[in-house]
Amino acid sequence: MAVVVTFFLHLVQDYYTAHGENATYIAKTYCHTTSALRQLGSKSDAISSVSVSKNMFETIARDLLLERTDHTLELYEGSGSNWRLVKSGTPGNLGSFEDILFANNEMQDSPVIVAIVPNFRENGSTVGLGYIDLTKRVLGLAEFLDDSHFTNLESALVALGCKECLLPVESAKSSDFRPLNNAISRCGVMVTERKKTEFKGRDLAQDLGRLVKGPSEPVRDLVSGFEFAPGALGSLLSYAELLADERNYGHYSVRQYNLDNYMRLDAAAVRALNVMESKTDANKTFSLFGLMNRTCTAGMGKRLLHMWLKQPLLDVDEINFRLDMVQAFVEDTAFRQELRQHLKRISDIERLIHNLEKGRANLLHIVKLYQSSIRLPFIKSILERYDGQFASLVKEKYLDPLGYWTNDDHLNKFNGLVEASVDLDQLENGEYMISSGYDSNLSALKDDQESLERQIHSLHKHTANDLDLALDKTLKLDKGTQFGHVFRITKKEEPKVRKKLNSHYIVLETRKDGVKFTNAKLKKLGDQYQKILEEYKTCQKELVVRVVQTAATFSEVFEGLALLLSELDVLLGFADLAASCPTPYTRPDITMSDMGDIILEGSRHPCVEAQDWVNFMPNDCKLVREKSWFQIITGPNMGGKSTFIRQVGVNILMAQVGSFVPCDRASISVRDCIFARVGAGDCQVSCVAFSSGLLEQAKKELIKR
Ligand SMILES: *[C@@H]1O[C@H](CO)[C@@H](O)[C@H](O)[C@H]1NC(C)=O
Ligand SMILES: *[C@@H]1O[C@H](CO)[C@@H](O)[C@H](O)[C@H]1NC(C)=O
Ligand SMILES: *[C@@H]1O[C@H](CO)[C@@H](O)[C@H](O)[C@H]1NC(C)=O
Ligand SMILES: *[C@@H]1O[C@H](CO)[C@@H](O)[C@H](O)[C@H]1NC(C)=O
Ligand SMILES: *[C@@H]1O[C@H](CO)[C@@H](O)[C@H](O)[C@H]1NC(C)=O
């Protein structure tokens, strides 16, 4: 169950506090001492309090929402007795904390919230499931039969990368639902209880009609195909308050999630195979993700890799498409490296678009999109130059879509907009401004401003003559916040001109750094200048809003582009790994699942092999249909049994994700599930194999197939 942690931001002094048990928790967990606690109030009703800096608060927020993933974080803002809730977030719905969490960090994973409507039968149950990915703006529905341990649900939670799960209150409490809760907690997912009445799917088709782009017919058809899932998705729409914000309308897509599209992995298998990195890894290459994380784009590629590793494919053609591309990149080193060089300059387009549509974007975001967009012709021309074995595939999957999106109706138009509107010359100085030539009002204001500057300058000259001082050298012109435009001379000069100053000018201030003075004419010009400057700024702001709004109309193109580029990025990363290992990986032969054979020759465990101190002895594995389907591995302690078992699982998983494998030769018939119950710990530990209960389960599975 989610634990709430509440913080207060004291606006004036700019620090954060927590109180009561929250304070104790924060002090113990993050300050590692209770001496950070102060007691507020009188002895009898004293309450403890802890205060933390902005940096510390951000660290705590990151830890609670991204690492611990079982807390709700709330932030109140105010002072004195006047407080209001300004931010609230959960691991699945980071909400307004996103700004803080990803200001300087890449978003590694896009969180998914699932809602479940379970329906019990005596021999199992039907699970209605809805999910939402707020970053990618995807909604999904699924419904399936499940066994008494909810193993199907578990694999769905793993594949979706679920961080938070909504359950009807009754289900969360009832002991009948203990197995369901166990399955959820095995995946490290936070449970959020909601009233049963919120799990209503009656108006779902209509609500989706507003959120989803395109005609409403297909949406209605999709929804009507389910009995329980609409209630689940309905609860998510209200939980995430999607309908309350019109900016969401027409921007979501909805899909049916089919359990049978991906290899099934439960939480234990993901752990046993070290698929994802763990905080305790001394070296990031201990995990498959850490080893394969060679993407170049900011954030996008890594998130896709995360997703792919949780969703190995079952379709032979889809797997082979990825392998074809990896092969193309492995075989042509220059092709691969040139593309990677350009991908390094691509920003996190997905997140930029997300900000754009949330109305949180400014010119900085637009310029980043532009800088990514002008890379595309380079990427396109590299793809065009490739004339290897897979040239037609490259053309169909990447070149043609790129050509379409960059044409004059789409990104060329966007580039034109940015080039006309943004003052790109000012970027070097870190300034993001609309160029004055973009708008007639703005350029009129700019002209006024320049004319005033000229007048002020000539007045400056005139005054220097009048006082018989050297322009700029002894008679300075200052522009400050207190007085606006003023003349300044040093105290040393002052006696020389004192008489004139007193008769013709107004002395404003005499200080160590000099004497400031003005006259009626300078005052007037200075005030006019200030007024024009304000108008100029206001006009800039209005134009920024307009440019950002226009840029937002390109978001669909950018979305497609983000997907294409992150896919390229991940595949290039696979190729880079395959080609750069001391012993290169090979392309596996993928065969239909009913062929049934798994042949790995000279195979290694990729993560173990990657450690400096390991000299890996390759070995073979032959699981042949109806001959050696079932093998018992025996050997002395520390002999490498579990490494071997894991290695087979990892090789199969890598192959079905579309990567080359660390083998001399591999032929893999597509597997729809990996069970792994190998002793806990990281790559070096080798101990138990299957536990007996699971052996039964594994046997049953094998017999079923
Ligand atoms: C924070 O305070 C709230 C309200 O007193 C309490 O429900 C919650 O459990 C506290 N959280 C922690 C982590 O102590
Ligand atoms: C449970 O039994 C019913 C018939 O009694 C059958 O229709 C249904 O498919 C069974 N469910 C499972 C999960 O085996
Ligand atoms: C992935 O690799 C990049 C550098 O290549 C690194 O900055 C990033 O932290 C890595 N991500 C993870 C989760 O290890
Ligand atoms: C210029 O300003 C006027 C009035 O302030 C406004 O009506 C007009 O729309 C503006 N023109 C442009 C191009 O923004
Ligand atoms: C991780 O292991 C690789 C390969 O053994 C090595 O090159 C790298 O320095 C290690 N990194 C750390 C942080 O130990």
Side-chain angles (χ1 to χ4, degrees), residues 2-6 19-26 71:
V3 182
V4 183
V5 175
T6 307
H19 302 276
E21 42 179 328
N22 290 197
T24 319
Y25 174 75
I26 295 298
H71 289 78

Side-chain angles (χ1 to χ4, degrees), residues 399-415:
L399 257 179
D400 290 348
L402 265 180
Y404 173 72
W405 285 327
T406 50
N407 73 13
D408 289 343
D409 285 334
H410 298 115
L411 290 186
N412 275 352
K413 207 168 174 185
F414 172 83
N415 294 349

Side-chain angles (χ1 to χ4, degrees), residues 344-362:
K344 284 193 180 125
R345 313 280 287 275
I346 301 284
S347 306
D348 194 339
I349 298 175
E350 265 173 7
R351 296 214 26 87
L352 291 168
I353 292 297
H354 183 66
N355 283 320
L356 199 55
E357 303 215 318
K358 285 271 164 212
R360 290 197 290 244
N362 52 37

